[in-house]
Amino acid sequence: MSGRLIKAPENFLSRADIHAVVDEARQGRRSFIRNAFAAVAAGAAVPSVMSQANPVPVEGGDPNILKLPEHSLGLGQSVASDGGYGKPSKFELNVQRRQSPGLTQTTQASVSFAPLQSLFGIVTPSGLHFERHHQGWWDIDPSKHRFMINGMVKTPKVFTMDEIMRLPTVSRFYFMECGANTAAEWGNVAVPTVQYTHGMVSCSEFTGVPLITLLEFAGADLKNGKFVLAEGADGSSMTRTIPMSLIRSGEVIVAYGQNGEMLRPENGYPLRLVVPGVQGVSWVKYLRRVEVGDKPYATKDEAIHYMDLQPDGQHRQYSNLQECKSVVTTPSGGQILLDKGFYNITGLAWSGRGKVKRVDVSVDGGRNWRQARLETPVLTKALTRFNLDWVWDGKPALIQSRATDETGFVQPTYKQLRAVRGTRSIYHNNAIQSWLVQENGEVKNVQL
């Protein structure tokens, strides 16, 4: 018999609750968020079972078959009647990006997390792609937007959107991950669900012009120019140093398209930088300028923020690469398994170094591992979906995934990572995630 599960109640914090989390964070405590989640999960369990299971009667036949439903007896809604742009079913309205509970003081300079537990395949819908803004998002008039190239170039150039969009394009799938993804878990378990532990990663098909093509138009000095400075047009003036070696590879794109349509405003419309394998802060939104230089620029978001605190008190700067990482999304924290029997363990793996080579899954806390199936396509620097058949016997289980990329890099345990990085870091947490399936079927976030 196939196992059934209850989805995690991701919307377990109200606005007042979020303020309470902020107050607790100032005092170095995290109990409120755990207690709030436990309360809503307990209160929702019984009605959720009934609404999701809709069990087939033991006797008398199934009314869902024997009685024709309304949608089989009449006309449906007319085409393009809902504003001309398709929307999700009303039964899927809970699948949303969720704001960060207490991470930032204002919603304009904050984060929203992608609902990884509710997604399939490797592509994140544009409307569910995680967000990180430093001063809010804007809907910029593309006819007025300009993109400039200057610095170590023969002829500084200014492009309109029309001029960029008439050039030969490329479309490629890449993952984007915030450097602070899984940051709350460095010290200990902090949040209950995969949306909050790993939801600052998404994957899309991006369309645009390789940056190297535009630099060649301007006659950039590709020999002595070792770096470029990318600058955004939002109020925070986000600026990041990008090594020229990445740009020469042809992977870095000046993108205007995402998942077959123009970028959404919250994703950088009308123009953003795509820097595969590198932390999301370098994927500058509302891109307006690139300057070619011969050394790193040490901008405010490189000399003060987005640095890795080491155990000896020093800071590691320009640590942009997103290392090999994976996470099981089902079963995962907050879900409830309703039956013994077969389950499909599924999740996502990715690496800034290239392709994912294999993913191993354990149901006993890492004592034994089985190789999971990597579902195609397996693309370089993109999310990779993995699956593994599992029969749950009703006993406690500790579910983990461990990814290995094509360079041979193996995702570390928390013990291995903390031996090098300590426990007070923020960025680049790629440790193995553990989910505890209890005898009653409840799944909780734990660390081993």
Side-chain angles (χ1 to χ4, degrees):
M1 180 179 179
S2 295
R4 302 166 298 156
L5 59 81
I6 298 175
K7 297 179 180 180
E10 297 293 349
N11 56 335
F12 62 93
L13 290 177
S14 67
R15 187 171 296 277
D17 291 339
I18 290 176
H19 288 305
V21 173
V22 174
D23 292 337
E24 274 212 344
R26 292 187 181 124
Q27 302 172 44
R29 295 185 289 119
R30 291 174 173 152
S31 60
F32 183 90
I33 190 171
R34 287 193 285 265
N35 293 338
F37 179 81
V40 73
V46 174
S48 294
V49 171
M50 297 303 295
S51 63
Q52 288 198 41
N54 193 9
V56 176
V58 177
E59 297 179 354
D62 187 348
N64 293 296
I65 294 177
L66 297 176
K67 182 180 179 181
L68 285 176
E70 181 182 0
H71 56 258
S72 297
L73 298 172
L75 289 173
Q77 300 182 55
S78 60
V79 298
S81 60
D82 195 11
Y85 196 93
K87 298 176 183 178
S89 164
K90 63 183 179 182
F91 300 104
E92 302 298 329
L93 292 180
N94 192 54
V95 181
Q96 302 175 19
R97 291 182 288 216
R98 301 288 178 187
Q99 289 187 33
S100 165
L103 179 63
T104 53
Q105 298 295 312
T106 65
T107 55
Q108 287 84 1
S110 191
V111 173
S112 72
F113 297 79
L116 301 182
Q117 73 290 338
S118 298
L119 304 181
F120 311 107
I122 65 172
V123 175
T124 310
S126 298
L128 296 176
H129 194 287
F130 88 90
E131 300 169 273
R132 172 65 170 113
H133 296 288
H134 292 254
Q135 199 166 342
W137 62 268
W138 294 88
D139 196 355
I140 296 172
D141 183 346
S143 70
K144 298 179 180 179
H145 189 71
R146 301 292 184 266
F147 172 61
M148 174 173 28
I149 298 177
N150 66 345
M152 297 173 64
V153 299
K154 291 181 178 178
T155 308
K157 293 283 188 179
V158 175
F159 297 89
T160 66
M161 286 300 302
D162 288 338
E163 290 169 337
I164 291 176
M165 294 181 69
R166 70 184 296 182
L167 296 174
T169 65
V170 296
S171 291
R172 297 172 184 152
F173 292 88
Y174 291 123
F175 81 83
M176 177 170 61
E177 182 182 20
C178 179
N181 199 22
T182 323
E185 305 291 295
W186 265 109
N188 205 336
V189 171
V191 288
T193 68
V194 71
Q195 181 158 12
Y196 286 119
T197 61
H198 290 74
M200 283 195 282
V201 65
S202 297
C203 185
S204 294
E205 179 188 25
F206 292 98
T207 299
V209 181
L211 178 56
I212 187 67
T213 300
L214 298 172
L215 292 182
E216 288 171 346
F217 271 135
D221 186 345
L222 300 179
K223 179 179 179 181
N224 297 308
K226 306 297 183 182
F227 302 91
V228 303
L229 177 73
E231 179 183 315
D234 61 328
S236 68
S237 295
M238 173 57 65
T239 45
R240 296 291 299 181
T241 298
I242 312 295
M244 187 66 78
S245 57
L246 290 178
I247 298 165
R248 282 198 297 266
S249 73
E251 290 186 333
V252 179
I253 301 171
V254 175
Y256 48 79
Q258 181 177 2
N259 294 334
E261 62 180 359
M262 290 295 289
L263 291 163
R264 300 288 180 89
E266 62 268 30
N267 292 330
Y269 180 88
L271 206 62
R272 78 170 308 159
L273 200 62
V274 170
V275 193
V278 169
Q279 61 185 349
V281 68
S282 294
W283 295 47
V284 176
K285 294 188 289 290
Y286 319 112
L287 183 68
R288 68 178 174 191
R289 186 171 70 94
V290 161
E291 178 181 319
V292 180
D294 57 0
K295 57 182 178 296
Y297 285 82
T299 66
K300 64 178 176 64
D301 290 293
E302 298 171 327
I304 300 176
H305 308 296
Y306 293 94
M307 297 190 297
D308 295 312
L309 177 62
Q310 303 298 293
D312 61 1
Q314 296 189 67
H315 285 83
R316 184 176 65 171
Q317 194 176 8
Y318 299 114
S319 52
N320 294 326
L321 183 69
Q322 296 297 104
E323 296 284 11
C324 188
K325 189 172 180 178
S326 70
V327 66
V328 170
T329 56
T330 299
S332 63
Q335 296 175 348
I336 302 175
L337 308 190
L338 296 177
D339 310 299
K340 298 178 184 178
F342 175 82
Y343 286 89
N344 178 49
I345 296 177
T346 187
L348 297 164
W350 59 98
S351 174
R353 295 170 176 265
K355 291 183 179 180
V356 172
K357 182 179 180 181
R358 66 179 287 163
V359 177
D360 298 302
V361 173
S362 174
V363 296
D364 57 10
R367 293 182 180 89
N368 298 283
W369 296 90
R370 292 169 56 199
Q371 186 171 351
R373 300 185 301 275
L374 300 186
E375 304 301 332
T376 55
V378 178
L379 305 172
T380 185
K381 301 180 183 179
L383 292 186
T384 297
R385 173 69 61 176
F386 64 86
N387 291 292
L388 183 78
D389 300 337
W390 177 51
V391 178
W392 183 45
D393 59 7
K395 298 178 181 178
L398 282 165
I399 299 179
Q400 300 176 319
S401 63
R402 181 184 64 195
T404 303
D405 66 25
E406 62 182 343
T407 70
F409 185 98
V410 180
Q411 184 180 2
T413 64
Y414 266 104
K415 182 178 180 180
Q416 292 169 331
L417 188 62
R418 286 170 177 156
V420 178
R421 301 281 304 283
T423 60
R424 298 180 61 196
S425 192
I426 296 176
Y427 305 104
H428 306 115
N429 180 355
N430 67 319
I432 291 173
Q433 171 68 41
S434 303
W435 304 115
L436 170 63
V437 181
Q438 302 179 116
E439 285 185 294
N440 63 0
E442 293 184 20
V443 187
K444 293 192 173 182
N445 181 7
V446 297
Q447 288 188 9
L448 300 180

